[in-house]
Amino acid sequence: NYIVMSNKFESYGVYNLIIKVAIVGDSKTGKTSYFNRLLYNDYKSNISPTIGADFASKMETYEKSDVKIYIWDTSGMETYRDMIRVYFKDCAGFLLFFDLTDKNSFTNVSKWIEDIVYVKESLPNSNPNLLLRIALIGHKSDKKEEIKISQNDIDKDRKSTRLNSSHLVISY
């Protein structure tokens, strides 16, 4: 099930609502694995890094309404950081990934939040009325022996960044 990430209900042809979501975070945090599992129910253990961004859409029904979800799987490589901000425009939600086995990816969560907020506040033609939602996702929970980020770390970080959102710990 999906959370509707927009307060605005509009009709777009055969869809009752279109929602744009971006998957963001450092490189090698599991964004593309999640994207492939979500859209194609597919898992590959060896995936090439995303160059720029990948895009797909998915139809779902939410509260008896047809919802089309546009999903952007963005590169986590520093080289593409400025370019991928363009994909943040008019996104109603962000899935912010970090790797539970990599402290650096967790430390960089605050930088990703800053990028998202910067774009939402300053990008020309960005819709300021969209409610900003960020879900923090700790990935690779299956690697129990290698986990370096505790639940306490996650809770502290959410308070220090004033990130008022849900968080999940997953493995794909």
Side-chain angles (χ1 to χ4, degrees):
N1 291 338
Y2 294 92
I3 299 169
V4 173
M5 296 185 185
S6 174
N7 292 335
K8 201 171 181 182
F9 191 86
E10 297 178 1
S11 180
Y12 292 94
V14 296
Y15 324 116
N16 299 102
L17 182 67
I18 294 177
I19 300 170
K20 297 176 185 176
V21 177
I23 302 174
V24 300
D26 281 3
S27 202
K28 299 182 181 177
T29 55
K31 299 180 304 295
T32 300
S33 292
Y34 180 77
F35 178 81
N36 289 332
R37 177 75 80 171
L38 176 69
L39 293 159
Y40 314 114
N41 198 26
D42 185 33
Y43 173 78
K44 293 180 179 117
S45 60
N46 193 9
I47 297 176
S48 299
T50 303
I51 306 296
D54 197 1
F55 168 80
S57 64
K58 183 174 181 82
M59 286 294 299
E60 290 292 328
T61 300
Y62 179 79
E63 294 183 359
K64 299 181 183 176
S65 294
D66 292 326
V67 179
K68 185 156 194 168
I69 304 168
Y70 291 140
I71 305 168
W72 294 98
D73 174 23
T74 64
S75 174
M77 290 187 270
E78 192 66 36
T79 309
Y80 298 104
R81 195 76 173 254
D82 289 334
M83 184 186 86
I84 66 165
R85 287 180 180 163
V86 173
Y87 300 106
F88 296 178
K89 181 182 169 225
D90 291 335
C91 278
F94 297 85
L95 303 178
L96 175 50
F97 274 69
F98 67 94
D99 180 345
L100 290 163
T101 68
D102 178 7
K103 278 242 187 227
N104 196 43
S105 75
F106 182 68
T107 301
N108 289 336
V109 161
S110 60
K111 292 177 185 173
W112 285 102
I113 293 169
E114 287 172 19
D115 277 0
I116 292 166
V117 170
Y118 170 79
V119 169
K120 297 306 285 181
E121 290 179 350
S122 65
L123 192 67
N125 302 320
S126 187
N127 184 347
N129 297 320
L130 283 179
L131 182 60
L132 181 60
R133 307 265 173 130
I134 301 172
L136 184 61
I137 301 176
H139 197 241
K140 304 182 184 177
S141 63
D142 58 317
K143 298 184 175 185
K144 303 238 183 271
E145 301 298 317
E146 300 173 44
I147 290 178
K148 297 180 177 132
I149 315 300
S150 70
Q151 183 63 49
N152 192 38
D153 294 331
I154 295 168
D155 293 339
K156 273 194 243 178
D157 189 68
R158 287 178 60 218
K159 287 177 187 165
S160 70
T161 59
R162 297 186 315 269
L163 182 59
N164 187 19
S165 71
S166 59
H167 71 278
L168 304 169
V169 175
I170 64 170
S171 176
Y172 273 100

